[in-house]
């Protein structure tokens, strides 16, 4: 009976013909990710993207090897991952090996292999560097979760060294709200994922080194984001109805230093409060009120997050999402603000800042 394929076996012929001659170190807190590649162009793109985090020195080192090549043709019985709620396209397929997992991106042909300390990206990396960024960031997320953090589907900002986690049901605009709050001089912590853990002095929130991806409507209504959009795009999108702008799939990377100034991306800080967006696109007035999560478990789906395909379980029976009780036990008596009613980003930003200043320790 033939042996089951392994990461080492699948990668051996690729590595033999792809000399690894380029390297980039990026550091998130005490974690340095060492990215090695056969492509100078890819390393240059990643260095520009991670410019706030370039450099080594982390106590924990995570290796990632990215091979620029055509889409690899691994002869494996891939299983297609079901669509996420609200999504229209099938995007990923996966296959589990004895020593890890292979994930194939169906739309781009990029393949990721990871397990037992090995992390590889193979395929058209330069054209899909955002997927390589996500893979690198997922290595950091996994490490934080294995250290005891819980994963939140949320954005994060901070003022005066105290952080606010901004969550919301799908399409609520949490990133847009975080960037609106940034106009008031706050720091940026994270765009779409926050890891929360308990330290000696209370809760700590840790973000992901990913630039916000914003739609044209967000850019048009936030003057600080002007650098991301050309004048031609500005004219074209300004002519569209507001409702149509909201649902556009077009996205821009908003680099924090370009839009808000250097030194504004802080990846970790004490967590002082949690915001849950529950508003609707209607004409009702926006409301903001403090709530007790133990009495409002209906709000918890807004921030509880599955760890996803890129997490290596040590125990296959482990659930992919922590329980409500686990989140409640972690958060304890953390202040929580519910924002309801109609959508009003300007008013919500002011409510969030007032809330943060009240609860900041």
């Amino acid at each position: 009976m033939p042996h089951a394929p392994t990461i080492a076996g699948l990668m051996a012929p690729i590595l033999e013909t792809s000399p690894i001659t380029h390297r980039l170190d990026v550091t998130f807190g005490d974690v340095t990710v060492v990215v090695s590649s056969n492509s100078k162009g890819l390393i240059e793109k990643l260095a520009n993207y991670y410019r706030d985090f370039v450099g080594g020195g982390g106590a924990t080192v995570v290796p990632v090897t990215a091979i620029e090549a055509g889409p690899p043709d691994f002869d494996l019985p891939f299983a297609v991952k079901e669509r996420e709620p609200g999504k229209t396209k099938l995007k990923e397929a996966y296959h589990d090996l004895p020593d890890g997992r292979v994930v194939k991106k169906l739309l781009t042909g990029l393949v990721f292999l990871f397990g037992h300390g090995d992390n590889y990206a193979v395929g058209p990396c330069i054209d899909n560097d955002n997927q390589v960024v996500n893979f690198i960031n997922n290595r950091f997320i996994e490490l934080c979760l294995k250290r005891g953090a819980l994963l939140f589907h949320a954005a994060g900002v901070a003022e005066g060294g105290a952080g606010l986690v901004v969550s919301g049901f799908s399409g609520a605009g949490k990133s847009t709200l975080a960037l609106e709050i940034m106009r008031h001089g706050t720091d940026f912590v994270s765009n779409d994922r926050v890891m929360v853990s308990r330290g000696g002095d209370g809760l700590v929130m840790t973000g992901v080194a990913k630039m916000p991806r914003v739609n044209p409507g967000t850019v048009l209504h936030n003057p600080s984001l002007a650098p991301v959009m050309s004048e031609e795009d500005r004219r074209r999108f300004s002519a569209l109805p507001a409702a149509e702008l909201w649902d556009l799939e077009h996205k821009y990377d908003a680099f924090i230093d370009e839009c808000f100034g250097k030194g504004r991306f802080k990846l970790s800080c004490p967590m002082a409060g949690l915001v849950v967006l529950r508003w609707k696109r209607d004409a009702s007035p926006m409301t903001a009120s403090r709530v007790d999560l133990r009495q409002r478990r209906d709000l918890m789906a807004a921030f509880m997050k599955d760890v996803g395909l890129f997490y290596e379980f040590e125990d296959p029976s482990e659930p992919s999402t922590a329980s409500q009780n686990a989140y409640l036990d972690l958060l304890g008596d953390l202040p929580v603000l519910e924002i309801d009613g109609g959508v009003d980003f300007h008013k919500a930003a002011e409510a969030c800042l007032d809330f943060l200043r009240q609860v900041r320790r």
Side-chain angles (χ1 to χ4, degrees):
M1 187 172 178
H3 293 293
T6 63
I7 291 176
L10 292 171
M11 286 302 305
I14 295 172
L15 293 172
E16 282 178 10
T17 57
S18 305
I20 306 300
T21 54
H22 305 281
R23 168 174 166 163
L24 172 70
D25 290 9
V26 290
T27 297
F28 314 131
D30 69 338
V31 178
T32 294
V33 179
V34 176
V35 186
S36 304
S37 181
N38 64 330
S39 169
K40 180 182 178 183
L42 175 64
I43 292 297
E44 288 175 344
K45 289 187 81 170
L46 293 175
N48 179 58
Y49 189 92
Y50 283 120
R51 54 192 184 236
D52 291 317
F53 307 97
V54 170
T60 300
V61 176
V62 177
V64 172
T65 302
I67 304 296
E68 174 66 24
D73 183 21
F74 294 134
D75 185 18
L76 299 170
F78 286 102
V80 176
K81 183 179 183 289
E82 293 182 1
R83 296 182 187 90
E84 292 183 14
K87 304 294 183 181
T88 58
K89 296 177 181 177
L90 294 169
K91 295 185 177 181
E92 294 164 327
Y94 66 97
H95 177 71
D96 287 330
L97 305 173
D99 60 345
R101 173 174 284 177
V102 184
V103 177
K104 180 179 182 179
K105 293 287 185 175
L106 299 176
L107 302 180
T108 67
L110 258 180
V111 175
F112 301 93
L113 307 90
F114 56 97
H116 294 202
D118 291 324
N119 303 290
Y120 296 100
V122 185
C125 294
I126 294 178
D127 288 342
N128 303 285
D129 56 307
N130 62 310
Q131 294 184 346
V132 179
V133 164
N134 289 341
F135 183 60
I136 292 169
N137 289 342
N138 271 306
R139 302 302 89 216
F140 176 60
I141 290 172
E142 178 181 290
L143 192 55
C144 290
L145 300 185
K146 288 187 174 178
R147 290 174 171 178
L150 292 184
L151 184 61
F152 283 63
H153 188 198
V157 295
E159 182 183 68
L164 191 65
V165 171
V166 180
S167 66
F169 291 94
S170 182
K174 57 187 178 297
S175 297
T176 299
L177 177 55
L179 293 171
E180 184 65 31
I181 297 170
M182 285 288 292
R183 293 177 64 194
H184 295 262
T186 61
D187 290 322
F188 190 77
V189 178
S190 198
N191 173 55
D192 194 51
R193 301 285 189 276
V194 175
M195 290 77 73
V196 178
S197 57
R198 187 163 287 281
D201 296 325
L203 294 176
V204 176
M205 55 188 275
T206 301
V208 179
K210 184 172 176 64
M211 301 302 160
R213 304 204 79 210
V214 293
N215 62 30
T218 296
V219 177
L220 291 175
H221 291 92
N222 187 332
S224 296
L225 301 178
V228 312
M229 182 183 283
S230 68
E231 283 304 314
E232 180 184 350
D233 279 2
R234 184 172 293 276
R235 286 192 296 271
R236 179 161 57 100
F237 290 125
S238 294
L240 295 178
E244 193 172 330
L245 275 175
W246 187 288
D247 295 320
L248 281 177
E249 286 293 321
H250 194 97
K251 296 285 186 183
Y252 299 93
D253 280 329
F255 282 81
I256 296 300
D257 62 345
E258 290 179 359
C259 296
F260 299 99
K262 293 186 182 298
R264 299 280 295 281
F265 204 143
K266 311 291 187 183
L267 211 57
S268 186
C269 67
M271 180 179 176
L274 170 67
V275 173
V276 182
L277 294 177
R278 196 170 167 271
W279 54 13
K280 302 164 286 295
R281 282 185 262 171
D282 62 23
S284 61
M286 191 213 85
T287 62
S289 56
R290 298 275 286 267
V291 295
D292 180 351
L293 273 184
R294 293 189 182 276
Q295 306 302 320
R296 290 296 308 279
R297 291 187 177 224
D298 58 299
L299 298 179
M300 296 184 67
F303 57 79
M304 292 174 62
K305 185 65 180 172
D306 188 292
V307 296
L309 276 181
F310 289 91
Y311 185 89
E312 182 183 7
F313 287 101
E314 294 172 9
D315 178 357
S317 66
E318 189 179 344
S320 60
T321 306
S323 68
Q324 285 191 352
N325 286 340
Y327 279 91
L328 290 171
D329 289 345
L330 172 69
L331 295 176
D333 61 355
L334 181 82
V336 179
L337 184 73
E338 177 188 13
I339 295 181
D340 206 344
V343 174
D344 186 331
F345 287 105
H346 299 294
K347 188 176 177 182
E350 292 174 354
C352 287
L353 283 169
D354 287 344
F355 173 61
L356 178 56
R357 289 162 185 166
Q358 290 167 13
V359 300
R360 193 164 62 199
R361 289 174 244 180

